[in-house]
Amino acid sequence: MSKQKELLLSRLGFRFGINGPHAARTMMLDDLRLLFSHTPPSAQRGDFVQAVVADNVLGKPTKKARELAMHHLVALYGLTTENPIFRALRRLWDANPDAQPLMALGVALARDPLLRGTQSFYLSKQAGETVSRESVEAVLAAAHPDRFSTASLRSFAQNVSGSWSSAGFLHGRQRKTKVQPNICPESVALLLFLGFLEGRTGQRLFSTNWTSLTGLSQEALEAHASAASHRGLLVFMNAGGVKEVRFPGFLTPEEEKVRQEVSHVV
């Protein structure tokens, strides 16, 4: 991906580079759920700081731990209405708790380059196949040679596996095996939106890295998109083989201009 495209996508909420929260944390799904349960959908960054640092709704033992939790949650999810990815996440979050794990993973992948680098590895595994910590460490070591100590690499691998487990892709505590995650119309709506932000439209939205997370056929994805449309989460039209997906109210006019510019950049 070109630097120009990365810069444009950064304006739409994506993060790039070589660093990410998964060097120290999982995607913090339980913390995110708790935070959203204590704040209204309209909450701004200051409200989240108040809830996490001042009110300690996450139950962290020290102020330093509360500040670190806030720092990592911001890196993972944005936690600001100025970020269109976060706005979409918050807009869809309360619609279906079963969709939350995959929605959180989608946003974490968009915002953590370290986690994003493991997607192809996990998706290459077949249902029932064992995914050992050592195999994850080998993938991470190959991608980041000489960057992590042995102890750091082990922690990094545990964090990454923890997130894929939380999202429903892995089962088991000591021996983790690949499983098919739960797919809901709400999570498909968010994954389609991430592809939409990258400039894709129509048929191309159903064959992105984001929709590959579902493991579903195009027909099944379209069925979920249709269900999401009936629930008012997006607009999906399929007539004569021509597919159209729209997200009314998801982007400001300025953000839509950036999105359209992204679509013309290689």
Side-chain angles (χ1 to χ4, degrees):
M1 183 182 297
S2 68
K3 284 294 182 183
Q4 182 183 2
K5 191 161 191 171
E6 286 187 359
L7 288 172
L8 289 169
L9 288 173
S10 295
R11 293 172 61 185
L12 295 177
F14 293 83
R15 291 179 71 247
F16 300 92
I18 61 172
N19 297 312
H22 275 78
R25 291 286 196 281
T26 67
M27 69 176 185
M28 304 174 70
L29 176 60
D30 289 343
D31 284 337
L32 186 67
R33 280 174 156 163
L34 195 55
L35 177 59
F36 283 173
S37 72
H38 283 84
T39 51
S42 60
Q44 304 292 329
R45 176 71 62 79
D47 300 314
F48 294 124
V49 173
Q50 175 69 31
V52 174
V53 180
D55 299 338
N56 194 23
V57 299
L58 303 183
K60 302 303 180 183
T62 65
K63 183 181 180 182
K64 180 65 173 177
R66 298 195 293 271
E67 291 172 342
L68 279 173
M70 183 66 194
H71 172 77
H72 290 303
L73 284 167
V74 168
L76 283 164
Y77 302 107
L79 298 189
T80 173
T81 54
E82 295 179 1
N83 184 321
I85 294 179
F86 172 74
R87 289 202 312 269
L89 176 69
R90 196 65 187 91
R91 179 173 183 159
L92 298 168
W93 188 260
D94 295 327
N96 184 358
D98 290 339
Q100 292 170 1
L102 186 53
M103 287 197 291
L105 179 70
V107 175
L109 285 166
R111 293 186 52 79
D112 188 341
L114 295 179
L115 180 65
R116 191 160 61 241
T118 68
Q119 178 173 334
S120 60
F121 167 75
Y122 283 100
L123 296 190
S124 71
K125 301 300 179 181
Q126 300 300 312
E129 187 174 350
T130 298
V131 183
S132 67
R133 192 196 73 245
E134 291 79 10
S135 67
V136 179
E137 289 180 10
V139 169
L140 297 174
H144 308 277
D146 304 320
R147 182 178 174 188
F148 297 101
S149 67
T150 301
S152 295
L153 198 62
R154 177 171 183 154
S155 175
F156 185 6
Q158 290 173 333
N159 292 336
V160 167
S161 290
S163 289
W164 287 97
S165 295
S166 294
F169 287 79
L170 299 175
H171 176 73
R173 293 180 63 85
Q174 299 300 322
R175 180 178 178 273
K176 292 188 180 294
T177 57
K178 176 73 180 298
V179 293
Q180 170 64 22
N182 185 29
I183 309 299
C184 306
E186 294 81 7
S187 50
V188 169
L190 184 69
L191 296 175
L192 290 172
F193 180 66
L194 290 171
F196 181 74
L197 288 178
E198 292 180 328
R200 293 176 174 84
T201 57
Q203 183 71 47
R204 296 174 63 221
L205 277 173
F206 294 89
S207 56
T208 68
N209 285 336
W210 307 109
T211 53
S212 71
L213 288 166
T214 67
L216 298 180
S217 66
Q218 181 168 307
E219 182 179 1
L221 281 170
E222 290 174 7
H224 279 293
S226 180
S229 182
H230 286 306
R231 297 176 191 183
L233 306 177
L234 49 74
V235 173
F236 174 57
M237 293 180 285
N238 185 4
V242 178
K243 298 170 180 61
E244 182 179 0
V245 183
R246 292 187 284 109
F247 297 88
F250 275 62
L251 296 177
T252 67
E254 180 59 33
E255 289 165 350
E256 176 58 28
K257 289 180 183 178
V258 175
R259 191 198 70 82
Q260 291 183 16
E261 190 174 349
V262 169
S263 68
H264 294 98
V265 177
V266 179

